[in-house]
Amino acid sequence: MPASSADWLADARQAALEAYEAEPVPTWRRSGFWTTSLRNLDIDALEPRRYEPVGSQDELPSEVRDALDGEPGALIVQRGASTIYIEVDAELTEQGVIVMPLEQAVEEHGELVREWYMRRLSEDEGKFPAATAAFWTGGVFIHVPANVR
């Protein structure tokens, strides 16, 4: 058993990184890669943008405020690799609904995350799915217990 709830994730990301590095860049002509060169892309120099959280919906960017409609039961706003705003209705939390940033869910609900992490996209599927698994930032975890609507 891993020493911490996030050790499994570190192992999975390391395996994905190794798969990413072992795979060549695809050359599928129909996808457009034949006109795109990634040879000079320095992956190690890439860093996600980070933003400071805001304290209320009024402080959200206007594009986000304009898109809000009604009273959502939960609202998570991510900008770049940062979660800048979280609001979850207390009634949902009382019913066992979990809505939180993926990084937080890994720490607080690791077994639930582990069950579903990368089930729809695997590092075994090629270079870019492996990159997704190795380099992810951001993301939201939502869990609705059985029989909760």
Side-chain angles (χ1 to χ4, degrees):
M1 188 92 191
S4 84
S5 63
D7 283 353
W8 67 266
L9 181 59
D11 292 344
R13 291 181 83 171
Q14 181 60 40
L17 178 61
E18 290 168 8
Y20 168 80
E21 290 174 340
E23 284 285 324
V25 174
T27 56
W28 309 311
R29 291 200 184 274
R30 70 173 190 252
S31 69
F33 287 124
W34 66 275
T35 61
T36 304
S37 173
L38 302 177
R39 285 189 238 290
N40 296 325
L41 179 62
D42 182 3
I43 293 288
D44 295 329
L46 298 177
E47 291 190 24
R49 288 188 175 173
R50 302 281 177 191
Y51 295 89
E52 292 298 315
V54 299
S56 72
Q57 286 188 22
D58 294 336
E59 298 174 59
L60 291 170
S62 62
E63 300 84 5
V64 175
R65 289 192 320 269
D66 293 346
L68 293 176
D69 184 27
E71 297 288 325
L75 175 65
I76 291 186
V77 179
Q78 293 187 325
R79 187 172 183 195
S82 303
T83 299
I84 63 168
Y85 186 74
I86 304 172
E87 185 178 321
V88 182
D89 187 303
E91 185 176 316
L92 291 176
T93 303
E94 290 169 9
Q95 294 179 56
V97 174
I98 301 167
V99 181
M100 63 180 51
L102 184 55
E103 294 91 341
Q104 181 182 353
V106 167
E107 292 299 324
E108 296 180 19
H109 304 282
E111 288 308 310
L112 280 173
V113 175
R114 184 178 190 168
E115 181 179 347
W116 298 102
Y117 180 74
M118 294 300 291
R119 294 251 327 249
R120 302 284 277 161
L121 188 65
S122 165
E123 73 268 6
D124 298 334
E125 295 178 35
K127 188 168 191 76
F128 296 124
T132 299
F135 302 117
W136 68 264
T137 59
V140 173
F141 180 78
I142 300 172
H143 172 74
V144 180
N147 302 317
V148 173
R149 293 188 67 164

